[in-house]
Amino acid sequence: MHNTKKNRLIDKSFQFWGIGNTFIGIVLLAIFIGYIVYLGASRLSFDFLSSLPSRFPDKSGIYTAMVGSVWIMFLTAIFAIPIGVSAAIYLEEYQKKNRFANILEINISNLAGVPSIIYGLLGLQVFSRTIGLGGNLLAGALTLSLLILPIIIVATREALKAVPNLIKDASYALGATKWQTIRHQILPAASGGIMTGIILSISRAVGEAAPLIVVGALAYVPFVPTSPMDDFSVLPIQIFNWISRPQAGFIVNAAAGIIVLLVITFSMNLVAILIRNKFEKKMN
Amino acid sequence: MPTTIIESKDFNLFYGDFQALKNINFQAEENTVTAFIGPSGCGKSTLLRSFNRMNDLIEGVQTTGETNINGISVYDKSVDVNELRKRIGMVFQKPNPFPKSIFENVAYGLRIDGIKDKHIIEEKVVSSLKKAALWDEVKDNLKKSALALSGGQQQRLCIARALAIEPSIILMDEPASALDPISTSKIEDLIYELKKNYTIIIVTHNMQQAGRISDNTAFFYMGELIECDDTKTIFTNPSNLRTQNYITGRFG
């Protein structure tokens, strides 16, 4: 009997401990966002979104950085998605499960955890110097593609793994080839999970500054990039640059820039969640 | 003289080092129903899946001996496994319709076979659903998702899907084990009906079911085919003591 009381107490205390820890993250994030909005909201305007950078804080805008970010997002997606998804299909559906496959799997997971600045150094040496792209959009996008490839591969494999064997067996039993089964059954069933993984990884790429700085993206770009071979800046670099300026006005600009970046990444995450929910409904 | 459609000769199957089937000699004649019975892990499903080489999908499976379907040695190098499977329908333990419409489920086998003519596809979908005794229940909403059907309807849809590619053999791996008694009896009626045109092998854990629907019964134990005979003989006068013990419920 006496144990019941003690166990209930332990149960209750863990519950409170859990609630407390859950709220640490949420409260800190809320304070951070609240402060940023308080600082930067007044600076948000059409002018801010459509102006080129300037040495005067109140004339300075994020137009070039935003266009640079869109370019980077687009180019990175073009490089990373086809390679990542097909690599995942190969590893999950074709690769025989042997020691080599194990080593590959562990290494891809490890790559997903390599600090982004290391990818920046790799990009600098391979794309900027050896291939000679310099600090242009193409070099940046290729570098970020390397960064998110392992994330896409891991997420896609998880999504493919989640497709029930029953469905695959049904397809094979009707005489379908491996590719027909992948194309008509496995990919449609896994597409929700695959797209969620892709969107989350792209939104990670959009938030990266370090690897692009290493590759040679510029902080001050007084023109809008019009081709992949142009120099560029992106939102995180622009924000980083403003924060390091002494004038108070640039701090407000940085806060406003952060709001824009947050809106972009949050809406991408929202789209990812909506897609996942839609496919889950369809599958059940 | 009845024609032998399925034949295993001195057939052995290994999962890695584990021998799952030992020296199987088995025959099934045209338009008969053969029930495979035996305790779990005895190899009955493995043998069933060896006929259309579904075991190929498991890594590390090796076979020796011979399996002939319609006189063709299916483990011969010249045999195209996809073509083989198109001639053999398979129904699984759990209903496994594709997450697509009822129509597309049945049409799938035709589409992957390269048939594009809409009229042919429609005609075959309708006739398959009729043969699977599902047509009357679904004819008004063929576009509905197959996942919205009941378990019993889903299983008959899976049978219709298998029939659409016009196989001569149907393999059923405990097709009614996940279904309620009413759905089960519908499946059993259907098997009785299908027997006129197809050769059917059914794995079952349900002795009464084996007794009701099969012409022949094969009893498996520890990877060996212990006894295969007329169902009546197996159930009333088995020649092997283990068969008798299993059937009377003394083990298994």
Side-chain angles (χ1 to χ4, degrees), chain A residues 93-98 165-186 188-189 281-284, chain B residues 49 52 54 57 59 81-83 85-86 88-90 92-100 105 108-109 111-114 145 147 161-162 165:
Chain A
E93 303 295 334
Y94 288 91
Q95 168 75 46
K96 291 217 157 48
K97 307 275 172 281
N98 52 24
N165 274 329
L166 279 169
I167 300 271
K168 301 182 195 174
D169 282 354
S171 178
Y172 289 129
L174 288 167
T177 59
K178 198 156 211 168
W179 173 244
Q180 284 174 324
T181 303
I182 291 172
R183 165 78 187 72
H184 298 292
Q185 301 300 339
I186 301 177
K281 214 184 258 168
K282 204 174 141 200
M283 287 304 289
N284 300 319
Chain B
R49 295 166 75 95
N52 61 345
M54 284 298 276
L57 299 171
E59 272 178 46
V81 68
N82 303 112
E83 290 304 317
R85 290 182 189 144
K86 281 174 192 169
I88 302 175
M90 189 163 207
F92 297 82
Q93 186 172 358
K94 263 171 89 182
N96 56 353
F98 301 126
K100 297 173 180 239
N105 260 278
Y108 182 72
R111 290 198 199 282
I112 57 167
D113 202 23
S145 167
L147 302 177
R161 181 175 67 188
I165 53 173

Side-chain angles (χ1 to χ4, degrees), chain B residues 3-240:
Chain B
T3 331
T4 301
I5 292 270
I6 303 172
E7 184 183 32
S8 295
K9 263 198 230 164
D10 305 325
F11 189 74
N12 294 284
L13 186 143
F14 303 83
Y15 293 121
D17 297 332
F18 175 72
Q19 187 167 6
L21 291 175
K22 294 168 192 162
N23 216 28
I24 304 287
N25 283 289
F26 168 80
Q27 289 191 349
E29 278 149 15
E30 195 171 14
N31 300 350
T32 58
V33 177
T34 306
F36 283 5
I37 61 170
S40 299
C42 66
K44 55 194 189 308
S45 289
T46 305
L47 182 62
L48 187 82
R49 295 166 75 95
S50 78
F51 298 144
N52 61 345
R53 289 182 52 182
M54 284 298 276
N55 288 319
D56 288 16
L57 299 171
I58 304 165
E59 272 178 46
V61 166
Q62 292 201 315
T63 61
T64 65
E66 225 180 297
T67 300
N68 296 310
I69 306 284
N70 288 322
I72 297 164
S73 175
V74 301
Y75 284 90
D76 195 81
K77 277 206 173 72
S78 65
V79 168
D80 180 337
V81 68
N82 303 112
E83 290 304 317
L84 169 73
R85 290 182 189 144
K86 281 174 192 169
R87 291 198 294 270
I88 302 175
M90 189 163 207
V91 180
F92 297 82
Q93 186 172 358
K94 263 171 89 182
N96 56 353
F98 301 126
K100 297 173 180 239
S101 71
I102 294 169
F103 185 92
E104 283 306 321
N105 260 278
V106 185
Y108 182 72
L110 305 167
R111 290 198 199 282
I112 57 167
D113 202 23
I115 297 174
K116 294 226 164 66
D117 188 320
K118 271 188 186 168
H119 299 289
I120 295 180
I121 290 178
E122 210 172 296
E123 198 181 303
K124 287 197 176 168
V125 168
V126 173
S127 70
S128 306
L129 285 168
K130 280 180 180 162
K131 280 186 214 155
L134 188 62
W135 174 247
D136 290 330
E137 291 158 64
V138 300
K139 63 182 172 197
D140 296 324
N141 32 22
L142 293 175
K143 291 219 167 90
K144 208 166 86 172
S145 167
L147 302 177
L149 297 173
S150 75
Q153 288 173 323
Q154 286 187 0
Q155 196 60 300
R156 276 178 285 146
L157 179 67
C158 293
I159 295 175
R161 181 175 67 188
L163 296 178
I165 53 173
E166 297 180 339
S168 54
I169 297 164
I170 304 173
L171 307 174
M172 298 183 162
D173 196 350
E174 299 183 53
S177 66
L179 305 179
D180 63 82
I182 293 171
S183 304
T184 301
S185 88
K186 279 187 185 161
I187 300 269
E188 287 183 12
D189 292 346
L190 180 56
I191 291 170
Y192 194 78
E193 204 49 45
L194 291 173
K195 174 178 117 164
K196 292 171 192 161
N197 298 307
Y198 302 91
T199 306
I200 299 171
I201 311 277
I202 176 169
V203 170
T204 179
H205 274 287
N206 183 329
M207 293 303 124
Q208 287 85 2
Q209 186 173 63
R212 279 194 300 266
I213 59 174
S214 67
D215 303 305
N216 301 302
T217 297
F219 172 67
F220 293 82
Y221 185 66
M222 307 274 277
E224 284 178 71
L225 175 55
I226 304 295
E227 197 173 350
C228 180
D229 211 329
D230 197 73
T231 297
K232 212 180 253 169
T233 314
I234 292 272
F235 277 88
T236 53
N237 190 20
S239 49
N240 192 295

Side-chain angles (χ1 to χ4, degrees), chain A residues 105-178:
Chain A
E105 182 159 359
I106 291 169
N107 276 297
I108 290 171
S109 305
N110 278 343
L111 283 177
V114 169
S116 59
I117 196 148
I118 307 290
Y119 282 100
L121 292 169
L122 178 69
L124 174 69
Q125 188 56 39
V126 176
F127 302 125
S128 303
R129 291 188 181 153
T130 308
I131 299 182
L133 292 174
N136 65 16
L137 274 167
L138 195 56
L142 286 169
T143 305
L144 289 184
S145 303
L146 291 183
L147 173 75
I148 64 169
L149 257 182
I151 310 175
I152 292 183
I153 292 175
V154 171
T156 304
R157 288 191 70 177
E158 290 304 319
L160 294 173
K161 227 177 257 174
V163 177
N165 274 329
L166 279 169
I167 300 271
K168 301 182 195 174
D169 282 354
S171 178
Y172 289 129
L174 288 167
T177 59
K178 198 156 211 168

